[in-house]
C-alpha cells in the first residue's frame, strides 16, 4: 500500500530517497480491467499528459514499450457508464488507512549527516523519557560538540519518533536561539513542524510556524510545505488548502513537496477525488512534474473512496509518463480493488506482481486480508496468514494487529488475546493500534467494563491514545447509551490538544444516529461545516439512514431550512441551536443525554419531518457537490419503506433521478408495479451491484425488497429476492433442508420464505422425499433488548403461523424454526397450501398508497 507522505526519517527540506526495484515494467502481464465502468468522469473525459505537457522521455526502453502496449487503452477510450454505482459504493473510511498500513514498519536506511555526538546526546535524553526538565542540561553539555543544524535536526526527528514532542520542542528552542543564520533556523523550524505534524500536534505545529514567520525565518516554501503536510496527516484538508493559498499570496512558488502534501491532505481529509484532481491539474499547469509520491497519493485518494477504475487509470498514466512503480504503488492499487469490492481482481494483481520483479510483502497480505474480512470471506482471510508464513514472510506488528482485529470483530476474544500474547512472545510489543482493535471488538459486544480496563492498561503501558482511540471509545459508549462516559472521554480528548477531523465526527454522528438521536447528529453535521471540516458521503449516509429508522423524527434547522419555510414547530429548535453556539456542542449534547434531558419532536408530524429532513440532507449534498453512493441509495430506499404514502416515497425517489437515472427508474418502476417494462433495466443494475462486496450488495437488495413489500408489491419483492439468490448475494442462503434468513431484511425474508416453501413443494410433487429435518434460521436477536426476541424472528414466527406451516422454535436454538420432513410434506399436500404460498400484490395497500398526501 502506498505511503503518500514522506516517511518519518525524511525531512521535508531534503530530497526523498526511494526504493529502487529492478522493474522491467512488464505491465502487459497485469490484468486489464477496463471493461468495468469508469468511476470518475473527469479522468474519463481526457488523456492527461497530452493536455498539459509533452510526453516525457521514457526512463528505459522497456518502459516505453510497456507504455505503448495495446493492453492499456487511453482514459478517454473507456466505455461510458450507465450508472454511478460501482466505483463509489464504498464509503466507510478515509484514506488515512493507507498511510497507517505502513506506519510503524521498518523504514529503509537513509544517509544522515549527523555526528556520533548527536547519537550520544539522544541516548542520554532517552534515559529521561517522559521528563523534559533535563533536556536543556544535556544539550548544554554537548553544545560545543554538536555539529549545527544536522545534529539538531537528527535529535528533533528521533525524539519525535519516540513521541517525546515536549522534549523535541525544548531542543528546537535551544537550537534556534544558538543558530545565527536565517536559512538554518528555517530548516530547524521546518523539521520541528514536520515532527509535530507526524504526532498529530497540529496546533503546536501552527504555533512554531507562526513564531518562525514573525521572527523572520519561517516565510519559506519548506516551512509552508511542512505545515501543509502537518494538516494533511491530521486529515484537515481545508486548513491545508488555506495555508497553500496564503503561501501563494506571499509570492512563494509551491514545489513538488508542497503539491504532494496537498494531495495527501485531500486523501486523509476525506475530500472527493475532484478536489485532488484539480490540485494535480494546477501542478501540471505550473510546470511541476509529478513523481511517484504524487501518483501514490492520488491512488490513495481513490483507494479510500473505492474508485477502482480511476485508480486503474492513474496506474496507466504512470506507465505512460515513464514513472516507475514500486511496492507502495502496487499495494495501493490492490487496496483500491479491495475497497471497490473487487476481490478476484485484487488476487489477480497480487499474482502478477512477481512478473514485474515486485514481491508481495506483509503490507500486500494485510490489504488482502482486510479486504477478505470486509466482504465476509473470513476463512480466506485467516488462510492468507498461513500463506504468509509459508512464503517466509514474518508477521510484523501491523500483520498481528490485522489478525487480532479480525478475531475481535468476530467476538472471538480468546483467540484475539492469544494473538496479542504471541506478538509479545515474538518481541513485538502491543501498540495503540492493538488496543484500538481490542477496544472496538469488546465495545461492539457490549463488554464495557473490559473496554474501561483496556483503556487504563493502555495508559499504564505509557502508550498515547490517538485520534482513533478516542473516537472509538466515544462511539462505543454512545452506542451503549453511556453518554457520561462518552463525555468524559471527549473532555480528555480535548485536554490532550487533539483536533477532531472528518473521521472523528463521522464515527460520532454514526453512533448517535444508531441511537435514533437525529437532532443531535444534525447539529454536529452543521458544526463540522462551520469548522471547515467537509462531511463526506459516509457522514451523510449515517444521517439519512437515521431519518429512515428514527423513532423520534428529530431534525436540525440547518438541514431543513434550505428546503421549507419554517413552521411554528421549528421555532423551538432555533432556540436550542442558539444555546449550543456559545458552547462546545459535543459536551452540551452528551451532558443533556446523560441527564436524560434530550428533546424529542412530537410524533404527530414525525413522518413529514423525516421526509423534509432527508430532502434537506440531499440539498446539502448538492451544495457541497458530494456524490451519493449505493449506500446512500439503500438508506433512501429504507426511508421509503417507512413512508405512509406513495407520494412521500416518490419525493425521496425523485432525488435519485438527479444522481442516477438507472436506480431511480428501477426503483420507481417496480414500486408502481411496472415490472415488465423495467425488468431488463433492473437486471443491468443488478449486474453492477453484483460487482460490489457482499454486505453492500445485500444491503441494497434488502432495502429495495423492503420498500416493495411495504407498498404491497409482493410479486416484485419476490422477483428481486430470487434474483439475489441466483446471484448468490446472500451466501449459503438456500438448500433443500435449510433457509438462512439472518442477513435479510424483513421484506426480503418474507418473500424468500414463500419462494423456499414453493420450491420444496415442487420437490414433494416430483415424488422426492424431503430431508428428515427442515430449518429456518433467523438469528437469535443478540442485539435485542431481550435476547432471542429479534425483530426478524418475531416477523417470521407471525408469517409461519399465518401460513399454517408446521414449524416451531428449536429448544437448543431460539433463533431457529424446525419441522420434520414428514410434517411439512403433509402440509404441502393440502389443497389450501398452494393458495397461501403464491404471493399476490396487495391492491388495497397500493390503492391506499396512491392517495394524496396532506400538507
Amino acid at each position: 500500500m502506498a505511503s503518500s507522505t514522506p516517511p518519518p526519517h525524511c525531512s521535508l527540506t531534503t530530497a526523498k530517497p526511494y526504493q529502487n526495484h529492478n522493474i522491467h515494467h512488464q505491465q502487459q502481464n497485469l490484468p486489464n480491467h477496463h471493461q468495468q465502468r469508469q468511476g470518475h468522469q473527469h479522468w474519463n473525459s481526457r488523456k492527461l499528459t497530452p493536455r498539459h505537457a509533452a510526453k516525457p522521455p521514457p526512463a528505459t526502453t522497456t518502459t516505453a514499450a510497456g507504455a505503448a502496449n495495446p493492453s492499456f487503452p487511453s482514459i478517454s477510450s473507456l466505455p461510458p457508464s450507465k450508472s454511478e454505482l460501482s466505483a463509489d459504493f464504498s464509503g466507510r473510511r478515509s484514506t488515512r488507512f493507507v498511510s497507517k498500513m505502513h506506519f510503524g514498519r521498518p523504514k529503509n536506511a537513509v544517509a544522515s549527516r549527523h555526528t556520533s555526538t548527536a547519537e550520544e546526546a539522544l541516548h542520554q535524553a532517552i534515559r529521561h523519557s517522559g521528563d523534559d526538565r533535563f533536556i536543556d542540561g544535556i544539550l548544554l553539555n554537548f553544545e560545543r560538540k554538536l555539529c549545527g543544524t544536522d545534529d539538531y535536526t537528527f535529535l528533533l526527528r528521533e525524539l519525535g519518533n519516540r513521541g517525546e514532542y515536549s522534549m523535541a520542542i525544548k531542543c528546537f528552542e535551544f537550537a534556534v536561539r544558538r543558530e545565527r543564520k536565517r536559512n538554518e533556523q528555517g530548516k530547524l523550524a521546518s523539521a520541528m513542524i514536520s515532527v509535530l505534524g507526524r504526532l498529530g500536534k497540529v496546533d503546536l505545529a501552527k504555533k512554531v510556524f507562526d513564531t518562525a514567520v514573525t521572527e523572520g525565518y519561517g516565510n519559506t516554501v519548506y516551512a509552508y510545505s511542512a505545515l501543509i503536510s502537518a494538516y494533511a496527516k491530521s486529515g484537515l484538508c481545508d486548513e491545508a488548502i488555506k495555508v497553500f493559498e496564503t503561501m501563494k499570496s506571499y509570492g512563494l512558488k509551491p514545489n513538488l513537496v508542497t503539491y504532494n502534501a496537498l494531495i495527501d491532505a485531500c486523501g486523509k481529509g476525506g475530500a472527493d477525488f475532484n478536489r485532488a484532481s484539480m490540485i494535480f491539474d494546477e501542478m501540471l499547469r505550473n510546470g511541476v512534474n509529478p513523481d511517484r509520491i504524487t501518483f501514490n497519493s492520488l491512488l490513495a485518494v481513490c483507494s479510500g473512496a473505492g474508485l477502482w477504475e480511476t485508480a486503474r487509470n492513474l496506474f496507466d498514466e504512470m506507465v505512460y509518463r515513464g514513472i516507475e512503480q514500486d511496492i507502495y504503488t502496487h499495494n495501493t492499487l490492490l487496496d483500491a480493488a479491495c475497497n471497490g469490492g473487487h476481490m478476484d481482481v485484487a488476487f489477480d494483481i497480487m499474482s502478477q506482481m512477481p512478473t514485474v520483479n515486485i514481491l508481495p510483502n506483509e503490507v500486500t497480505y494485510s490489504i488482502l486480508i482486510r479486504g477478505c474480512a470486509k466482504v465476509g470471506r473470513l476463512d480466506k482471510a485467516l488462510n492468507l496468514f498461513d500463506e504468509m508464513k509459508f512464503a517466509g514472510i514474518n508477521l510484523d506488528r501491523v500483520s498481528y494487529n490485522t489478525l487480532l482485529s479480525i478475531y475481535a470483530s468476530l467476538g472471538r476474544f480468546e483467540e484475539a488475546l492469544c494473538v496479542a500474547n504471541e506478538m509479545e512472545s515474538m518481541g513485538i510489543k502491543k501498540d495503540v493500534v492493538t488496543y484500538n482493535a481490542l477496544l472496538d471488538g469488546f465495545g461492539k459486544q457490549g463488554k464495557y467494563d473490559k473496554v474501561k480496563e483496556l483503556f487504563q492498561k493502555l495508559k499504564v503501558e505509557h502508550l498515547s491514545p490517538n485520534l482513533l482511540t478516542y473516537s472509538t471509545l466515544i462511539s462505543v459508549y454512545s452506542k451503549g447509551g453511556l453518554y457520561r462516559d462518552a463525555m468524559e472521554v471527549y473532555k480528555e480528548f480535548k485536554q490532550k490538544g487533539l483536533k477532531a477531523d472528518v473521521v472523528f465526527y463521522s464515527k460520532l454522528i454514526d453512533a448517535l444516529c444508531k441511537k435514533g438521536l437525529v437532532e443531535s447528529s444534525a447539529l454536529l453535521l452543521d458544526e463540522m461545516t462551520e469548522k471547515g471540516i467537509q462531511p463526506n458521503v459516509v457522514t451523510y449516509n449515517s444521517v439519512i439512514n437515521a431519518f429512515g429508522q428514527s423513532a423520534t423524527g428529530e431534525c436540525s434547522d440547518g438541514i431543513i431550512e434550505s428546503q421549507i419555510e419554517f413552521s411554528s414547530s421549528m421555532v423551538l429548535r432555533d432556540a436550542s441551536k442558539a444555546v449550543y453556539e456559545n458552547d462546545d456542542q459535543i459536551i452540551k449534547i452528551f451532558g443533556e443525554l446523560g441527564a436524560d434531558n434530550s428533546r424529542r419532536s412530537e410524533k404527530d408530524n414525525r413522518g413529514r419531518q423525516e421526509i423534509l429532513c432527508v430532502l434537506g440532507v440531499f440539498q446539502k449534498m448538492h451544495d457541497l457537490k458530494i456524490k451519493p453512493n449505493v449506500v446512500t441509495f439503500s438508506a433512501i430506499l429504507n426511508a421509503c419503506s417507512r413512508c405512509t404514502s406513495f407520494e412521500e416515497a416518490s419525493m425521496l425517489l425523485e432525488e435519485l433521478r438527479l444522481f442516477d437515472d438507472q436506480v431511480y427508474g428501477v426503483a420507481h418502476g417496480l414500486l408502481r408495479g411496472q415490472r415488465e417494462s423495467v425488468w431488463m433495466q433492473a437486471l443491468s443494475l443488478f449486474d453492477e451491484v453484483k460487482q460490489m462486496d457482499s454486505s453492500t450488495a445485500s444491503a441494497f437488495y434488502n432495502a429495495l425488497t423492503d420498500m416493495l413489500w411495504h407498498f404491497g408489491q409482493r410479486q416484485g419483492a419476490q422477483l428481486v429476492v430470487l434474483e439475489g439468490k441466483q446471484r448468490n448475494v446472500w451466501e449459503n442462503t438456500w438448500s433443500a433442508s435449510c433457509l438462512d434468513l439472518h442477513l435479510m431484511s424483513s421484506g426480503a425474508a418474507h418473500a424468500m420464505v414463500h419462494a423456499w416453501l414453493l420450491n420444496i413443494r415442487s420437490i414433494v410433487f416430483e415424488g422426492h422425499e424431503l430431508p428428515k429435518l427442515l430449518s429456518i434460521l433467523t438469528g437469535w436477536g443478540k442485539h435485542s433488548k431481550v435476547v432471542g426476541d429479534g425483530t426478524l424472528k418475531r416477523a417470521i414466527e407471525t408469517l409461519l403461523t399465518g401460513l399454517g406451516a408446521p414449524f416451531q422454535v428449536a429448544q437448543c436454538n431460539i433463533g431457529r424454526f424446525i419441522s420434520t420432513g414428514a410434517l411439512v410434506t403433509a402440509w404441502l399436500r393440502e389443497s389450501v397450501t398452494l393458495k397461501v404460498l403464491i404471493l399476490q400484490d396487495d391492491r388495497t395497500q397500493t390503492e391506499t398508497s396512491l392517495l394524496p398526501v396532506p400538507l
Side-chain angles (χ1 to χ4, degrees), residues 344-372:
D344 291 337
V345 172
F347 280 104
D348 286 343
I349 293 171
M350 179 179 169
S351 67
Q352 294 297 325
M353 286 171 64
T355 67
V356 290
N357 293 339
I358 296 179
L359 296 178
N361 62 7
E362 61 271 24
V363 179
T364 314
Y365 277 98
S366 292
I367 294 167
L368 276 173
I369 288 164
R370 292 180 69 101
C372 288

Side-chain angles (χ1 to χ4, degrees), residues 795-819:
I796 297 305
E797 188 170 22
T798 301
L799 172 64
L800 293 172
T801 301
L803 293 173
F807 285 84
Q808 60 184 4
V809 177
Q811 292 183 354
C812 60
N813 186 340
I814 54 181
R816 178 186 182 195
F817 295 92
I818 60 172
S819 183

Side-chain angles (χ1 to χ4, degrees), residues 183-434:
N183 64 323
E184 296 300 311
Q185 289 178 323
K187 289 180 183 179
L188 290 168
S190 298
M192 188 70 251
I193 294 167
S194 296
V195 166
L196 293 170
R198 287 200 307 274
L199 296 174
K201 306 292 183 181
V202 288
D203 290 338
L204 292 176
K206 181 65 163 57
K207 286 181 181 179
V208 171
F209 174 81
D210 289 341
T211 300
V213 171
T214 301
E215 295 186 2
Y217 57 85
N219 199 28
T220 68
V221 172
Y222 305 113
Y224 275 98
S225 299
L227 185 60
I228 290 170
S229 182
Y231 281 128
K233 288 178 174 63
S234 289
L236 301 172
C237 180
D238 289 335
E239 284 84 346
I241 290 176
K242 287 177 184 176
V243 174
F244 178 71
E245 295 300 331
T246 301
M247 171 184 175
K248 292 193 293 184
S249 71
Y250 282 110
L252 295 173
K253 188 176 180 180
N255 60 18
L256 178 62
V257 174
T258 316
Y259 282 114
N260 285 348
L262 199 59
I263 293 172
D264 187 46
C266 290
K268 292 190 174 73
D272 62 25
F273 188 78
N274 260 331
R275 206 168 190 180
S277 183
M278 290 170 62
I279 295 166
F280 181 80
D281 287 345
E282 177 183 327
M283 175 181 179
L284 295 180
R285 285 196 304 270
N286 290 336
V288 179
N289 289 323
D291 65 356
R292 185 165 52 200
I293 289 180
T294 314
F295 278 97
N296 284 351
S297 298
L298 287 168
L299 284 168
V301 179
C302 297
S303 168
L307 296 172
W308 157 244
E309 275 299 330
T310 307
R312 190 68 177 88
N313 292 333
L314 283 166
F315 188 87
D316 294 350
E317 181 74 7
M318 291 184 74
V319 176
Y320 186 86
R321 289 175 171 272
I323 297 174
E324 185 180 58
Q325 298 90 29
D326 61 4
I327 183 65
Y328 301 106
T329 314
H330 285 268
N331 282 345
T332 312
L333 182 68
L334 187 71
D335 191 54
C338 290
N339 293 333
H342 307 293
M343 291 309 302
D344 291 337
V345 172
F347 280 104
D348 286 343
I349 293 171
M350 179 179 169
S351 67
Q352 294 297 325
M353 286 171 64
T355 67
V356 290
N357 293 339
I358 296 179
L359 296 178
N361 62 7
E362 61 271 24
V363 179
T364 314
Y365 277 98
S366 292
I367 294 167
L368 276 173
I369 288 164
R370 292 180 69 101
C372 288
K374 175 179 175 289
V375 299
R377 295 165 66 173
L378 299 178
D379 289 340
K380 180 62 177 174
L382 296 175
N383 287 339
L384 282 168
F385 280 103
D386 294 332
E387 289 186 25
M388 286 181 70
K389 294 178 180 178
F390 183 78
I393 299 174
N394 294 324
L395 273 65
D396 64 358
R397 179 179 284 106
V398 177
S399 302
Y400 274 116
N401 283 338
T402 304
L403 178 59
L404 183 148
S405 180
I406 291 174
Y407 282 132
S409 65
L410 291 170
R412 294 161 63 174
F413 297 113
E414 289 187 7
E415 288 157 295
L417 294 173
C418 284
V419 171
N421 292 333
E422 182 181 327
M423 280 178 65
E424 296 195 323
S425 70
M426 298 296 291
I428 302 173
K429 291 185 178 181
K430 294 192 291 288
D431 63 0
V432 68
V433 180
T434 314

Side-chain angles (χ1 to χ4, degrees), residues 473-700:
L473 284 170
I474 292 171
S475 175
V476 162
Y477 288 143
S478 299
K479 289 176 181 177
L482 304 176
Y483 301 116
R484 292 184 179 179
D485 290 298
M487 181 170 64
E488 291 306 313
V489 171
Y490 177 70
K491 287 180 179 178
E492 181 179 323
F493 165 81
K494 295 276 285 186
Q495 291 169 358
K496 293 286 186 180
L498 297 173
K499 198 166 184 179
D501 64 356
V502 64
V503 179
F504 182 93
Y505 271 105
S506 295
K507 282 178 73 75
L508 178 55
I509 286 172
D510 181 63
L512 294 176
C513 285
K514 283 182 168 59
K515 297 294 291 183
L517 301 171
V518 179
E519 181 176 312
S520 301
S521 302
L523 285 169
L524 292 183
L525 194 62
D526 288 339
E527 184 184 83
M528 287 180 70
T529 55
E530 289 167 5
K531 288 187 174 181
I533 302 173
Q534 183 176 352
N536 56 27
V537 68
V538 186
T539 321
Y540 283 108
N541 286 348
S542 296
V543 180
I544 293 171
N545 201 48
F547 288 138
Q549 300 181 29
S550 171
T552 66
E554 300 174 302
C555 190
S556 161
D557 297 338
I559 296 293
I560 299 181
E561 61 187 359
S562 61
Q563 282 291 316
I564 61 171
E565 294 294 329
F566 290 115
S567 63
S568 58
S569 64
M570 295 298 178
V571 174
L572 186 59
R573 275 194 198 88
D574 282 331
S576 71
K577 188 171 181 181
V579 171
Y580 285 137
E581 285 176 351
N582 295 321
D583 200 355
D584 188 305
Q585 287 192 13
I586 296 177
I587 292 178
K588 185 76 173 180
I589 289 168
F590 282 141
E592 291 194 350
L593 292 174
D596 198 26
N597 290 326
S598 58
R599 283 177 291 277
R600 297 288 186 269
S601 299
E602 295 296 329
K603 292 185 179 180
D604 293 342
N605 294 323
R606 183 189 76 188
R608 188 64 175 169
Q609 288 182 12
E610 284 194 347
I611 300 301
L612 294 171
C613 285
V614 173
L615 295 175
V617 168
F618 265 105
Q619 185 62 51
K620 289 269 188 178
M621 294 178 74
H622 275 298
D623 294 343
L624 295 174
K625 297 181 180 179
I626 295 176
K627 187 171 63 175
N629 57 25
V630 73
V631 180
T632 318
F633 299 153
S634 296
I636 291 296
L637 294 176
N638 281 325
C640 289
S641 299
R642 296 166 177 87
C643 292
T644 58
S645 70
F646 180 82
E647 278 71 18
E648 285 185 347
S650 293
M651 289 171 64
L652 297 180
L653 291 178
E654 193 64 31
E655 295 296 327
L656 296 185
R657 189 201 294 258
L658 301 176
F659 295 106
D660 196 299
D661 281 338
Q662 187 181 21
V663 178
Y664 167 80
V666 170
H668 194 261
L670 291 176
L671 188 58
R672 296 191 67 92
Q674 300 167 347
R675 290 184 289 275
E676 294 79 5
S677 60
V678 301
W679 192 245
M680 292 305 295
Q681 188 180 10
L683 293 177
S684 177
L685 173 62
F686 296 152
D687 286 340
E688 293 195 44
V689 173
K690 179 58 179 173
Q691 296 176 18
M692 304 170 190
D693 69 284
S694 58
S695 61
T696 304
S698 62
F700 182 78

